[in-house]
Amino acid sequence: MIAARQFEIDAAGKASDLRHRAVIQKNMASYDASVTRGKARFADWSEARSQAAQIKWQTINHLDQYLEEFERNVLANGGHVHWAETSADAQRLVIEIARRHGVRKVVKSKSMVTEEIHLNEALETAGIHPIETDLGEYICQLRHEPPYHIVTPVMHLSKADIAETFHEKFGSPLNATAEELTMVARHQLRQEFQTADMGITGANFLIADTGMIALTTNEGNGRLTAALPRVHVAIAGIEKLIPRLDDLALFWPLLSISGTGQAITAYSTLVGGPRRDGEPDGPHEFHVILLDNGRTRLLADIEQRDALHCIRCGACLNACPVYRTVGGHTYGTTYQGPIGSVITPHLRGAEEWSHLPFASSLCGACTDVCPVRIDLHHHLLHNRRNTTQRRLDSRLQKIGFRLWAWFMRSEKRYRLAGEVLRVATPLARPWTKTRDLPPMPEQSFREWWEQQ
Amino acid sequence: MNVARENILSRVRRALRTPGHQPLAPTGQTIWPAIDNPWERFQTEFAALKGELITDLPAFLAGFPRIASDVPSVPGNSSVHDADLGVTGCDCVIAQTGSIAVSTRSAGGRALSVWPPVHLVIARRDQLVPDLKSAMDIWRTRYDGSWPSNLCLITGPSRTGDIEKILVMGAHGPKRLAIHFHE
C-alpha cells in the first residue's frame, strides 16, 4: 500500500510540473518523428511484428529446450553458464566471480536487469566499485537517481540540468553544449575502461544456436566493456532467448526502430565466449548468468505468458499517455510504463504493486506499438481483474461500485441519482482540481427529450 | 548437481505443460522493400550516418601520425592503445543499413575497431551484400563450426542522443568512421 500511496503523490506532483512536461514533450516529439521515418524502411511493418511475435512465441513456449541449447553452446565456446533463481542469487554469483579474480573496479554497460537485481548497491557493499558507462546511466549514477526510462535513462533532464551536475563533479562550464558534456564523460570513462578489472553487461538477446549474447549500444561502451577488462560477466533474464543467429536480421532493426527510430543501432555486437587462441585481445573468462527472478511465474500464467516476448524497446512507455504525464520515476519500478505495470505485479508481488495496472487509460496505444505484439492493454485489464478477485482493491472502491450498481438497477433511482449529481458537482473537486469539467447544461437529456 | 539450474528448468517445464495461445500466423509476406542498386544504397546510408568514403587513401593516412593496423597493405607504427587511427578489414559491407560487419578474425581483435578515435575499414567492392540476412549468411558460411569470440555490425561512428536527443558523435568509440574500397 505504501507504493500505491507514493505513486499517487508522485503522479500528482509530476502531472502538474510544467517544466517536466516541456522536457518530456520535446524528447517524445523527436522520438515520434524518428520512429515514423524508421518504420517507413519496412515494406510491411505489421508483418514484421507478426513474424517477430511468432519467433518469440516459439521460443518462450519451448523455453527449456532453448535454454539447454544455449547453455551447451556457450560451454562449447569456452564460456561459463550460471543460473540464478532470485536477485540475491545473481548478486552472490557476480560477487563470487569478482572475488575470485581480485576485482576492485567494474565497468558496466547499460543493463536494466542489473537495475532489477540492484547490483550496484550489492557490489558497493562488497567493496567493489561499479562504474556505469552508458552516458545516460553515468549521469544517473552521478546524480544518485534511478533511470527514468528503460531506453533513455535521463529523458527527464534538460541539458542545463546535466551541465549543472557535470559542473559540480568535474568543473565543466555551466553553459557547456551537449557535445562538450559528452566529451567530458568520454574522457573520464576512457580512464575507467583502461583500469577496470571486470566488465558487466546485460544482453539484448541470447542466441541459442551459436551460444552468443547480442549487445546493442550506440556509444560503443558495450564493445569496450566486453573488450578491455580481464573478465566479462553478462546477466540476462531467461526470456531473452531467440533460436537462431539469423533471427537478428529481423530483431536488430525491430528493436532499434522501436527504441529510437534508427535503422539499426550503431554497434550490434555478438559475444561468443572469452578470447580464443590466436586472438590478440579480449577477456580471459566469459560468464553468463541466467536469471529467473519471477519470470517462471509469468510463464505459468497462461493468459499473460506473451509478456515474456518483450525485447525492452521502450515503445509502449513512449506511447502511453499516463507515462508521458506522470513520468518514469513515479512508477517506482525497474520497468516503467505499460510493460512494467503488466510484469511488475508478477515479478515483485501483487500485494505491493497491484495499483500499477490502474495507472492506464486502457486506450491500447501500447498494444498498437509493441513490435512483438504483446497484448499489453488486455493484460493490464487481466491484472485489474486479478486484483479484484484477490480482494486487493480498496474497500471504498468496492462500496462505490456497489452503490453504482444499486442506482443503475432501478429507473427511479437512476433518475434521482442524475438529479442529485447535477447539483453536486462541487463534490467532484478532487477530480476537477487538475482536470476540466464542462459546465452542466441547464436541462438534463430527459427533460429535453420530454419536451420534443 | 546445480540446484538453481534444476529448479528453474523444472519450473519452466511445469509451466509449459499448459500450451500457450498461438499468435496469429504471419502471412509470409516480404517485410523489406527490394534493394535495386546496392552500391548506391550503401553510399546513401553510409553518408547519412556521417561515414566517410575515402578515395585518396595516402592523403587520408598522411593525417595520422600513429596508426595501428591489421591490414598488410597499410603498415602500422603504433599499439592499439596509443593510435590515432585503427585500420582493419571486414567480413562484408551491407547496403540496407550502411553497416560494416567485422569479427575478431577479420578486424584484428576486439579493441582495434573501437578504441582508436578514428576507424578506417579497407574493403573490396565485391564484399558488398544487399541486406542483413546476407551478412548473417556470410558469417555462417565463413565461421560455422569455429566462431570468432566477438562479432559486430558497425553502423556509423559512435554516437549518443542521451542529452535532450541531441546527436553527438564519438561518445566512447570512434568519432569518425571511414571506408576505402580497393578494386
Side-chain angles (χ1 to χ4, degrees), chain A residues 26-27 30 41-44 47-48 51 54 57 60-61 63-64 68 71 83-85 133-136 154 158-159 178-179 181-183 186 189-190 193-194 209 212 218-219 221 223-224 226-228 245-246 248-250 252-253 262 264-274 276 279-283 292 296 299-300 302 305, chain B residues 2-5 7-9 11-13 15-16 18-33 41 45 81 96-97 99 102 104 108-117 132-133 136-137 139-140 147-160 162-166 168-175:
Chain A
K26 187 176 167 194
N27 266 295
S30 158
R41 289 180 159 269
F42 281 85
D44 194 337
E47 171 68 9
Q51 290 188 10
Q54 184 74 30
W57 183 87
I60 295 299
N61 283 278
L63 192 58
D64 51 337
E68 287 183 312
E71 180 186 45
W83 302 71
E85 294 190 72
T133 62
D134 170 80
L135 177 59
V154 291
S158 69
K159 192 173 64 199
E179 185 169 2
L181 293 169
T182 305
M183 291 310 131
R186 178 185 171 102
L189 290 169
R190 285 215 141 203
F193 278 122
Q194 281 184 305
D209 74 341
M212 295 173 181
N218 272 314
E219 301 178 359
N221 56 319
R223 296 187 68 199
L224 290 168
L228 302 183
L245 180 70
D246 314 63
L248 289 172
L250 172 62
W252 266 339
Q262 290 169 277
I264 186 165
T265 312
Y267 299 113
S268 302
T269 310
L270 295 164
V271 183
R276 282 204 219 317
E279 291 180 345
D281 55 6
D292 179 349
T296 47
L299 190 71
I302 190 67
R305 186 178 286 172
Chain B
N2 186 328
V3 179
R5 179 184 189 277
N7 287 349
I8 293 172
L9 282 174
R11 279 201 294 273
V12 168
R13 291 194 181 109
L16 291 180
T18 323
H21 310 298
Q22 282 252 20
L24 280 177
T27 59
Q29 217 102 339
T30 333
I31 55 175
W32 301 105
R41 173 70 175 265
E45 296 285 345
H81 285 273
Q96 181 187 9
T97 50
S99 309
V102 299
T104 40
R110 301 192 188 201
L112 183 57
S113 56
V114 67
W115 182 260
L132 294 168
K133 177 72 179 62
M136 305 281 171
D137 291 343
W139 271 346
R140 206 172 269 283
W147 287 91
S149 70
N150 196 296
L151 304 103
C152 187
L153 295 184
I154 297 174
T155 309
S158 159
R159 61 194 57 213
T160 185
D162 274 347
I163 303 175
E164 287 189 2
K165 297 247 172 213
I166 300 163
V168 177
M169 312 306 277
H172 291 295
K175 297 178 187 181

